[in-house]
Amino acid sequence: MNQSSHRILQIYAILGIITINCEKFLIAIDKAQDMGPVGKSVNSRVYKIKGICFLPLKLEIPGEVKPLLSGIRGVVEQGMYFSYNYDLTNTVERASYSVQGMSLYDRAEREYMWNRNVCKDFIRARIDTNWIIPVIQGFVGVIEEEMEGKKVRLALISRRSVKRAGTRYNVRGIDDEGNVANAVETEQILNFDSTTYSFNQIRGTVPVFWKQTGVFADVSLTRSPQMAFLPFTKHFDNLISSYKRVIIFNLLSTTKEGEVKLTRAFEMNEAEYEKKSSSNMRYCHFDFHAEFATAVSIGASIEIRGGRRVRCEVGSDACLPAVLPGCAAQKRAAGSGEDQLSR
């Protein structure tokens, strides 16, 4: 190779190594947008991936591979984020349990790290994991204002699970391991004065076996509720293990045939499951679209014309139906001030 073929490439980070048709490529981030810091420290800056490049371990990229690389680029350059110092894969609460001095890779929550598989060559080669930058898919937004003469920073982070991901009408329901399609954990982080507040919501598709192939297609159950009970149990066992107490909000319609079918299947398993977890789980069915068609205000509770007020309570904690479509579950961690919501 002559000197004229050399070039210097400035990159933000290395995502990993991918193998396509027996050819290995190093994936590097060469364009990124600074979204600002999400934590109290300026070192908590987050970056959105705006461009990636593929560096072949051989001299040239084979022509038949280029369309595949273009497809990968299209996925990675839409909604992927990273940080050099802030753990985007974990909530503020989970991150507080991490051992000091661990690399971002070593303490990352596997469910939300999207480049873990392409880092396997680095791990096998025993490369220092401080070189590995975890990437999430989802959304990160940050705003800063002043209140009472003090700076207020509000960050919104959405993390999409790597488990059972897919396009909306092609991936629905639950799998045999209890994972629901397109699960997303969304965290609101408020930094004010010397205090950090964190509020988390988790959403996902209705946890039964079902499919819907298009917007106007009928909803159909692919397994009976009885056949779905074991995965259903795994799903909620995981939620309760993580969030201790769970409030499920079902926001499906009470009149649309397909949504009614899903509610019946869900409620059959929920009633059976609640028998063994009654102290940790509550269920509330709230027809979101019907109720909000006549809602007159939203405040400390939701008021409906006719004087109806919706509020669900578990012990001394209270929460409102989530403003999200589908099924939802929420917990308040005792003493932590952190709420979790899942659907």
Side-chain angles (χ1 to χ4, degrees), residues 110-115 135 160-165 183:
R110 294 190 177 191
E111 184 172 353
Y112 301 111
M113 181 177 171
W114 277 72
N115 60 323
V135 169
R160 189 182 184 195
S161 172
V162 301
K163 300 177 180 178
R164 199 158 170 72

Side-chain angles (χ1 to χ4, degrees), residues 64-107:
E64 68 274 12
V65 171
K66 290 182 179 180
L68 300 175
L69 298 181
S70 178
I72 296 170
R73 179 179 286 109
V75 173
V76 175
E77 293 178 359
Q78 295 186 22
M80 295 279 190
Y81 299 83
F82 69 95
S83 175
Y84 298 116
N85 300 294
Y86 190 86
D87 184 3
L88 285 173
T89 68
N90 277 301
T91 63
V92 170
E93 183 179 31
R94 287 199 303 264
S96 68
Y97 304 141
S98 300
V99 177
Q100 292 296 321
M102 292 178 66
S103 69
L104 289 177
Y105 174 87
D106 289 331
R107 67 174 184 252

